[in-house]
Amino acid sequence: MNIKNKKLDLNEFMQIRENVLLDWPTGKEVNLEEAFVFQKSLPAHLSFSSLLADAKKNQYILIQPRAGVAALDKHIELLQYLQDVGTADCLPSTIDSYTRHKRFQEAQQGLEESIVEGRSLLNGFPAVNHGVSGCRRLIQSVKVPVQVRHGTPDARLLAEITLAGGFTSFEGGGISYNIPYSKNISLEQTIRDWMYVDRLIGLYEEQGISINREPFGPLTGTLVPPSISHAVAIVESLLAAEQGVKDITVGYGQCGNLIQDVAAIRTLESLTQSYLEEHGYTDMKITTVMHQWMGGFPQDEAKAYGVISWGAATAAFAGATKVIVKSPHEAMGIPTMAANAQGLMTTKQVVSMLKDQRMPLTQELKAEMSIIEQETRSIVDKLFELGEGDIAVGTIRGFEAGVIDIPFAPSKFNKGLILPARDNVGAIRFLEVGNLPFSDEIKAFHAQKLQERAAYENRSVDFQMVIDDVYAIGKGKLIGRGSKGEQQ
Amino acid sequence: MSHTIVLGVIGADVHAVGNKILHYAYTQAGFFVVNLGVMVSQEEFVQAAIESEAKAIVVSSLYGHGEIDCRGLREKCIEAGLENIKLYAGGNLVVGKTPFKEVEEKFIAMGFDRVYPPGTDPKTSVDDINKDLASL
Ligand code: B12
C-alpha cells in the first residue's frame, strides 16, 4: 500500500494538478493566483465559514436545501427562489450524477438537451461543464454562501473549478463519497484523490481564505448506526486537517429516535474535537450538520411534511449548527422549486419556534451518549492500530477487515456484514455486528435491545425485521412492527 | 417456476438498498437471480442475459437519469439475438415528480414490456413476471 496520511508535497501536488485540469476543457480556465484574488474580493456574507461561526456563537440553526438543475439560468433562478421565498440561510449546488462520475461528455449532452427541452434532464448542476465563469455568475447572483454538494469519488477537477468559481464550502470525503457512491473504486484511490482536494483547500486557507469542509455524514442514508457515521466523520476530519483544512462541519443523518439523535449530534462534535486535538490539530473550527431523515420517504406530501418537521425539531433539540432539509416530493422525484421551498419554510418555522429549547442532559441521554462514544472510539482506535499509527492506512485495512462497515453500501470495498434494525423505541441497533471491534458488553447490549422488541412483537430477530424497518417511515411508522403494537 | 432473471440498477446510479431488497424478494419468490448490482451498463445487462439464458431483464433506475440510460436497450437486445426477452423497468425513472401515465408511455415506447411507478411492492412484479414468462 503506497499511501500515508501526510501533507502532500507542494511540487507533487502541482504535478498532479497539471493532469487534473486536462480532464475537461474548462479546466484551462482555472488559475490559482487569480482564484485567490477573486475569493478575497467576495463579500463576507458569501463566506460559509463566517456564517457557520456566527450561527454557532449565537445559537441559531441554519437551514439549507439540496438543489441543482442543468441549465445555468434555471439554476440561478432556483437558488434565488430558495433564498428569497424558501428563506434558506445558505445554498447548495447539488451536482448531477454524470459529473460525479466524471462523465463530462454525457453531462454535456444532458445539459444541451435540457436547454432544448426547457426542463432538466440531469439530476443536478453540471458545474464542471459550466466552468469557472459560469460558477462565478451563479455566486454573484445570490446573497448567501453556496456549497458544492455532490457524491463524487474523484472530485479534484470539480473542486478546482468550483472553488475558483467562488463556492466557499465543499462536501464529501474519500470514504463518505466512495463507499455509498461507487462500486469498483478502491479506497486507496479515493483517499488519495481527496487528499488532493483537502490540500487545495489548505492552499486557500494559507491565503487567509477559509473554505468550509463537510464530510458526508449520512452515508447510505438507510439505518446507519451513529457510531459508524461518526467513525467515518472523524477519520475524514483527521485526513482533511493534515492537508491544511481548518473549518470542518461534521454530519449525521437523523435516525428518528430523539434521544439517540441528540446523543449523536452532541458526541459527534465532542469526539471530533477531541480526536483532532489529540493528534495535534488545535486551531480547528468544528460545527455540526444534521440531515433530516435520509432513507425512504412517504409518498403522500402531508406525511412527508411530518417527517420533515420531526427532523427540524430534532435538529433544534440537539443544537446542530445546520440542518439539511428534505422536500415533500422526496419519495417521488427531484422537487420542483416550490416544493423545495415548502420543505424549507416548514423547517424554518419549527427551528425558529424551538430556538430557545435544547434537550437537557438527562440520565437517558447520558447513557446513549456513552454507548455511542464507546463504539466510536473502539472503531477509530482499532483503525489507528491497524495502520500502525497511520489513519489512512488503518482505514483501508479496516474496511478490508470489516472493523468498519457501512450497511447497504454498493462498494465492493465494503465488507457488508453488519445489519441494523430498530429497537423497541426506534433507536437503531446492530442486528449483526459483523467484524466491528465491539466489546462483549456492547454486543450484548444490542442483542438485548432487539430481543426486547422481538418479544414485544412476538417475532424473531431476523432479516425480515431489517426489511420492515427499511420500509417503515415510507409507510407512516418509525419501527417496522409486525402486526402487534401498531398505531392504526 | 424457477425462471432466470437479470437484475440491476442502470447507468451511473448507485442506489443499492432497493436492489438488495429486490434480490431477496425475487429469490424468495423462487427466481434464479443474476444480480449485477448498481451502475450497470446496457452492454452488461445484455451480456449477462446471454450468458445466463435469462428470460427477463429487470431494470431499476432511481436517480432520475433513467430516461437517458434506458434508451436503446431494446435495440441492443435485438441486435444480440434476444428478440423475445422481457424488459421491466421500475424505480424513480425520470427527473421530478411526474404523472405516471407519461412515464409509462415513454418507457413502453422505448420497448419495455412493463413499467412500474416509484415504490412499487416487489410482489406486484413477481406475479407479472410469472404470468409473462409462463406464456413464453
Ligand atoms: C437512500 C437514498 C439515497 C442514498 C443511497 C445510498 C445507496 N447507495 O443506496 C444516498 C444518500 C447515497 C443517495 C444519493 C443520491 N440520490 Co437518492 N435517494 C435515497 C432515497 C431517500 C431512498 C431510496 C431507498 O433506498 N429507498 C428504499 C428502497 C427499498 O426503495 P427503492 O429504492 O425505491 O426501491 C424499491 C422500489 O422502488 C421498487 N423497485 C425498484 N426498482 C424496481 C424495478 C422494478 C421492475 C420493480 C417492479 C420495482 C422496482 O422495489 C424496490 C424494493 O422495494 C430516495 C427517495 C425516497 N424513495 O424516499 C432518494 C432518491 C432516489 N435519490 C435521488 C437522487 C437524485 C440522488 C442523487 C443523484 C443526489 C441528488 N442529486 O439529490 C444521489 C445519487 C448518486 C448516484 N450516482 O446514484 C432522487 C431521484 C430523483 C428523481 N428520480 O427525480 C430521490 C427520489 C430523492 C429525490 N426526491 O430527489 N440517495
Side-chain angles (χ1 to χ4, degrees):
Chain A
M1 201 178 306
N2 181 23
I3 195 166
K4 237 181 146 76
N5 178 28
K6 197 166 174 302
K7 192 167 189 166
L8 274 180
D9 171 70
L10 190 59
N11 287 325
E12 199 189 329
F13 173 85
M14 287 300 174
Q15 265 171 17
I16 303 172
R17 188 164 186 271
E18 277 176 29
N19 283 322
V20 167
L21 297 182
L22 292 177
D23 263 357
W24 188 250
T26 49
K28 284 198 299 286
E29 294 172 21
V30 189
N31 172 328
L32 258 188
E33 293 305 320
E34 188 270 344
F36 294 151
V37 174
F38 176 75
Q39 277 275 1
K40 282 182 190 162
S41 76
L42 291 176
H45 65 257
L46 292 182
S47 160
F48 237 101
S49 301
S50 313
L51 181 65
L52 288 160
D54 189 64
K56 183 167 175 169
K57 181 162 158 260
N58 296 307
Q59 297 186 6
Y60 61 95
I61 296 173
L62 302 168
I63 69 167
Q64 182 180 19
R66 294 189 175 80
V69 290
L72 181 59
D73 289 335
K74 297 274 191 228
H75 186 61
I76 291 176
E77 193 188 322
L78 169 63
L79 293 199
Q80 286 174 337
Y81 183 87
L82 297 176
Q83 163 196 282
D84 297 336
V85 179
T87 67
D89 299 302
C90 39
L91 291 166
S93 287
T94 300
I95 307 299
D96 73 285
S97 292
Y98 291 139
T99 302
R100 294 169 182 215
H101 292 275
K102 297 201 293 182
R103 300 186 183 179
F104 303 123
Q105 190 58 54
E106 284 163 89
Q108 189 64 34
Q109 184 195 333
L111 168 59
E112 283 162 18
E113 264 189 65
S114 302
I115 293 171
V116 172
E117 289 207 21
R119 67 180 173 113
S120 185
L121 277 89
L122 294 182
N123 58 14
F125 177 70
V128 168
N129 297 65
H130 288 300
V132 175
S133 52
C135 291
R136 288 186 181 175
R137 235 188 82 204
L138 163 68
I139 299 295
Q140 288 171 322
S141 308
V142 296
K143 300 182 211 127
V144 297
V146 195
Q147 178 186 43
V148 187
R149 303 192 66 86
H150 47 131
T152 311
D154 174 6
R156 295 173 300 173
L157 180 59
L158 180 65
E160 288 278 3
I161 287 178
T162 51
L163 296 178
F167 284 80
T168 53
S169 175
F170 203 76
E171 195 190 30
I175 306 162
S176 63
Y177 271 3
N178 175 344
I179 304 297
Y181 283 98
S182 80
K183 185 177 175 180
N184 290 320
I185 309 175
S186 76
L187 265 175
E188 186 173 343
Q189 188 63 46
T190 50
I191 290 180
R192 194 190 310 282
D193 290 343
W194 275 86
M195 283 178 175
Y196 178 102
V197 172
D198 288 330
R199 185 72 169 92
L200 176 65
I201 289 171
L203 292 177
Y204 279 88
E205 285 285 350
E206 285 170 21
Q207 297 292 317
I209 303 154
S210 192
I211 304 288
N212 172 253
R213 273 282 285 113
E214 184 182 321
F216 177 63
L219 304 175
T220 50
T222 306
L223 306 176
V224 180
S227 56
I228 298 290
S229 48
H230 282 24
V232 172
I234 290 165
V235 170
E236 289 188 349
S237 298
L238 288 164
L239 292 169
E242 174 61 26
Q243 300 301 327
V245 169
K246 299 283 178 209
D247 189 307
I248 295 180
T249 303
V250 273
Y252 166 74
Q254 178 195 15
C255 284
N257 169 283
L258 182 63
I259 305 269
Q260 184 174 46
D261 287 332
V262 172
I265 289 290
R266 305 243 170 114
T267 51
L268 180 58
E269 181 157 1
S270 57
L271 284 166
T272 305
Q273 189 85 47
S274 103
Y275 271 100
L276 285 168
E277 275 168 17
E278 275 166 43
H279 289 87
Y281 310 108
T282 47
D283 53 348
M284 306 292 295
K285 290 177 282 179
I286 306 298
T287 46
T288 56
V289 54
M290 200 204 77
H291 299 243
Q292 292 175 350
W293 171 244
M294 286 293 284
F297 251 63
Q299 295 194 349
D300 184 274
E301 294 185 20
K303 293 181 181 180
Y305 284 119
V307 181
I308 291 168
S309 303
W310 183 227
T314 302
F317 286 137
T321 321
K322 182 172 88 170
V323 57
I324 308 285
V325 174
K326 289 269 178 170
S327 90
H329 284 184
E330 178 61 17
M332 303 306 286
I334 303 238
T336 56
M337 203 152 87
N340 209 338
Q342 281 159 351
L344 284 164
M345 288 187 282
T346 302
T347 302
K348 190 53 119 355
Q349 174 74 20
V350 176
V351 295
S352 305
M353 285 173 67
L354 299 180
K355 185 183 174 306
D356 305 299
Q357 298 179 51
R358 294 291 176 267
M359 182 177 275
L361 191 60
T362 58
Q363 282 309 323
E364 255 180 310
L365 181 56
K366 264 191 208 154
E368 197 62 46
M369 287 172 70
S370 160
I371 293 281
I372 297 174
E373 277 164 3
Q374 289 175 57
E375 290 177 7
T376 308
R377 280 194 183 278
S378 63
I379 296 173
V380 177
D381 294 349
K382 188 74 184 176
L383 298 181
F384 270 109
E385 190 189 312
L386 288 174
E388 293 146 85
D390 188 299
I391 196 63
V393 175
T395 300
I396 294 164
R397 292 189 181 145
F399 270 96
E400 267 166 25
V403 302
I404 168 108
D405 197 346
I406 298 173
F408 307 110
S411 170
K412 70 173 189 204
F413 293 90
N414 185 63
K415 261 276 186 268
L417 294 179
I418 67 168
L419 279 179
R422 293 190 186 277
D423 70 12
N424 213 28
V425 288
I428 293 171
R429 306 296 179 198
F430 291 90
L431 189 147
E432 291 288 352
V433 289
N435 296 341
L436 296 179
F438 291 167
S439 67
D440 290 343
E441 214 182 314
I442 293 279
K443 287 182 190 166
F445 168 81
H446 287 280
Q448 181 246 324
K449 284 286 177 187
L450 291 177
Q451 212 47 61
E452 219 172 87
R453 167 178 164 192
Y456 177 77
E457 291 174 27
N458 193 17
R459 66 188 295 183
S460 55
V461 177
D462 55 16
F463 189 59
Q464 190 57 47
M465 200 179 235
V466 181
I467 295 182
D468 291 345
D469 285 350
V470 167
Y471 286 130
I473 290 186
K475 292 186 175 173
K477 306 173 280 187
L478 179 62
I479 307 169
R481 301 264 193 222
S483 49
K484 189 166 175 247
E486 284 297 0
Q487 178 174 347
Q488 294 308 328
Chain B
M1 223 180 85
S2 176
H3 302 296
T4 298
I5 61 174
V6 172
L7 174 69
V9 187
I10 199 165
D13 194 335
V14 300
H15 290 92
V17 184
N19 173 265
K20 288 179 203 281
I21 293 187
L22 281 172
H23 185 172
Y24 181 77
Y26 288 150
T27 308
Q28 292 291 90
F31 299 154
F32 180 75
V33 185
V34 178
N35 187 5
L36 303 175
V38 303
M39 292 189 83
V40 181
S41 67
Q42 293 191 357
E43 291 75 11
E44 289 171 285
F45 273 113
V46 174
Q47 195 55 38
I50 295 173
E51 282 168 15
S52 65
E53 298 180 23
K55 297 242 169 58
I57 299 178
V58 180
V59 178
S60 295
S61 176
L62 285 307
Y63 73 154
H65 293 184
E67 196 177 340
I68 306 181
D69 294 336
C70 291
R71 268 184 220 153
L73 178 60
R74 175 54 82 190
E75 288 73 12
K76 280 216 177 62
C77 289
I78 295 172
E79 270 167 41
L82 303 172
E83 281 86 5
N84 295 324
I85 197 155
K86 294 282 176 193
L87 296 182
Y88 302 85
N92 299 66
L93 288 166
V94 299
V95 171
K97 183 169 180 171
T98 313
F100 181 64
K101 198 109 199 62
E102 287 173 29
V103 180
E104 191 174 24
E105 280 165 12
K106 221 172 240 161
F107 278 75
I108 295 286
M110 276 186 222
F112 281 83
D113 293 285
R114 291 182 192 267
V115 190
Y116 299 89
T120 302
D121 187 333
K123 279 193 212 99
T124 315
S125 57
V126 168
D127 297 341
D128 290 343
I129 293 171
N130 272 326
K131 210 172 353 156
D132 295 351
L133 299 194
S135 62
L136 279 186

